[in-house]
């Protein structure tokens, strides 16, 4: 594997899942693979799980790790070409990226949507510049439109907990006080559409995701109807995608907060969320603390998805 930014990069999901479960049995099996190899993790945005789990994954594989928080101690980077750099950004990303590539073998990048320009975000301008100019294999630690390490961990978790070969999985929008990117729901939809699960997306009108991610999923505007008979509830907030509303909050309707009321009509569904989660906005205390909540094992699987991805990138290093 030369890069990892979307579901297509991982190839056959059955093979990827087998690899994940093999690594879960013995996470140090490939500890020699990364000897004398260096992972550089670049963060344009904050992180808890991605940072820790990816660093742990690299350690599982025997790699050295360098972490750089761009906003804490690095030069502020200009990301657009053609700008007269007379402002507060002393370095251009087009020099910074190849320099970063000199010090490592693999680069992980976290760069969220900025919500200033939908085209800039949806063209994945930042991570694509790393792919183009670093000279190194690049993987996404959440980019503007996708969060594939999270989605892979979500898939591993569903496979571990499902009680039927073809579970009903519902991705539901839930309220949040700040505008959040569509990366997690886009990516989750992309990965669920690559399985044969019964996949439903529920959200209020106006929160339609980019059709390229919705694919053949069923879209429901009635949350209770969507939850009926569900085996997994995956909650997430996102801001509007469409047209002039891009990046805006259109609803704060707390009727959409996942509570025991909605969970009661499911097939005793498991509750999932990528975390961090705002309690009693996205989900009530009762639901997230219930035995059906699998948010912690889901987060734990981030180490497994990252180990598989790094292993594959290491195997393909020249
Ligand atoms: N789920 C996730 O990516 O968590 P962090 O933002 O804390 O890395």
């Amino acid at each position: 594997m030369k890069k990892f930014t979307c579901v297509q990069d991982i190839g056959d999901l059955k093979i990827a899942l087998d690899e994940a479960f093999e690594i879960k049995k013995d996470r140090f099996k490939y500890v020699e693979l990364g000897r004398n190899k260096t992972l550089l993790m670049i963060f344009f945005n904050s992180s808890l799980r991605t940072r820790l789990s990816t660093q742990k994954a690299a350690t599982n594989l025997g790699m050295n790790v360098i972490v750089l928080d761009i906003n804490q101690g690095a030069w502020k980077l200009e990301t657009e070409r053609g700008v007269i750099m007379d402002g507060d950004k002393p370095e251009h990303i087009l020099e910074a990226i190849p320099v970063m590539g000199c010090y490592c073998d693999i680069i992980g990048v976290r760069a969220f949507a900025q919500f200033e320009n939908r085209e800039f975000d949806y063209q994945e301008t930042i991570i694509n510049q790393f792919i183009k100019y670093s000279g190194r294999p690049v993987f996404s630690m959440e980019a503007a439109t996708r969060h594939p390490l999270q989605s892979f961990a979500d898939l591993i978790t569903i496979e571990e907990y499902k009680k039927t070969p073809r579970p009903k999985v519902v991705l539901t929008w839930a309220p949040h006080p700040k505008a959040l990117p569509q990366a997690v729901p886009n990516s989750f939809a992309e990965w669920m559409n690559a399985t044969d699960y019964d996949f439903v997306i529920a959200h209020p009108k106006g929160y339609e995701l980019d059709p390229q991610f919705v694919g053949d999923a069923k879209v429901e505007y009635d949350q209770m109807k969507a939850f009926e008979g569900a085996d997994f509830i995956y909650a997430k907030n996102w801001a509007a995608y469409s047209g002039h509303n891009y990046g805006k909050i259109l609803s704060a309707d707390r009727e959409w907060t996942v509570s025991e009321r909605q969970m009661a009509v499911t097939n005793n569904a498991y509750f999932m969320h990528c975390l961090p989660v705002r309690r009693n906005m996205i989900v009530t205390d009762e639901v997230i603390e219930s035995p059906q909540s699998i948010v912690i094992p889901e987060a734990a699987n981030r180490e497994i998805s990252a180990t598989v991805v790094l292993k594959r990138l290491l195997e393909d290093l020249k």
Side-chain angles (χ1 to χ4, degrees), residues 47-65:
S47 168
L48 186 153
R49 279 141 292 271
T50 304
R51 184 174 183 140
L52 297 180
S53 62
T54 310
Q55 195 158 348
K56 175 65 167 66
T59 311
N60 293 347
L61 296 163
M63 299 185 80
N64 304 310
V65 181

Side-chain angles (χ1 to χ4, degrees), residues 74-294:
W75 302 113
K76 237 177 157 181
L77 295 178
E78 177 56 62
T79 55
E80 286 197 56
R81 198 173 166 278
V83 170
I84 297 168
M85 289 173 58
D86 59 356
D88 63 342
K89 295 173 181 164
E91 177 149 28
H92 203 287
I93 199 164
L94 293 177
E95 283 79 54
I97 289 174
V99 168
M100 294 179 203
C102 297
Y103 308 138
C104 64
D105 300 281
I106 295 174
I107 303 183
V109 180
R110 167 164 283 203
F112 291 174
Q114 296 172 12
F115 281 157
E116 285 166 15
N117 177 333
R118 190 173 85 173
E119 207 182 337
F120 181 90
D121 290 340
Y122 270 68
Q123 284 177 352
E124 289 289 7
T125 309
I126 304 283
I127 198 162
N128 281 334
Q129 285 178 326
F130 274 88
I131 291 168
K132 195 167 173 189
Y133 298 114
S134 69
R136 301 291 174 214
V138 171
F139 68 97
S140 168
M141 299 195 299
E142 187 171 344
T145 64
R146 293 175 176 88
H147 193 359
L149 282 175
Q150 180 65 52
S151 308
F152 187 14
D154 297 334
L155 177 64
I156 294 167
T157 311
I158 292 171
E159 284 294 305
E160 286 178 322
Y161 281 84
K162 74 180 189 186
K163 293 177 187 137
T164 164
R166 192 168 175 268
K168 179 175 177 182
V169 178
V170 179
L171 164 65
T172 182
W173 178 93
H176 193 278
K178 291 191 171 175
L180 296 185
Q182 297 99 24
V184 169
N186 283 345
S187 198
F188 186 71
E190 185 173 70
W191 285 67
M192 291 300 103
N193 281 326
T195 70
D196 64 351
Y197 301 161
D198 177 8
F199 179 51
V200 178
I201 305 175
H203 57 73
K205 287 209 165 127
Y207 279 97
E208 289 76 13
L209 294 166
D210 182 342
Q212 69 166 308
F213 297 106
V214 176
D216 293 331
K218 186 169 182 213
V219 176
E220 265 293 352
Y221 298 113
D222 180 338
Q223 193 189 35
M224 286 298 274
K225 200 170 159 204
F227 274 43
E228 280 170 14
D231 299 296
F232 293 88
I233 299 299
Y234 193 100
K236 185 72 184 83
N237 173 267
W238 63 90
Y241 164 76
S242 56
H244 61 276
N245 283 328
Y246 179 65
K248 288 191 183 149
I249 295 175
L250 306 179
S251 168
D253 185 358
R254 291 201 32 225
E255 286 293 300
W256 281 74
T257 301
V258 177
S259 71
E260 287 174 330
R261 175 178 62 86
Q262 298 102 319
M263 293 301 281
V265 303
T266 69
N267 183 27
N268 198 24
Y270 289 109
F271 175 81
M272 301 178 71
H273 188 281
C274 63
L275 305 180
V277 67
R278 290 189 185 239
R279 284 178 175 225
N280 304 308
M281 286 296 299
I282 299 282
V283 58
T284 61
D285 290 322
E286 291 73 25
V287 170
I288 199 166
E289 291 172 4
S290 76
Q292 293 309 101
S293 171
I294 53 173

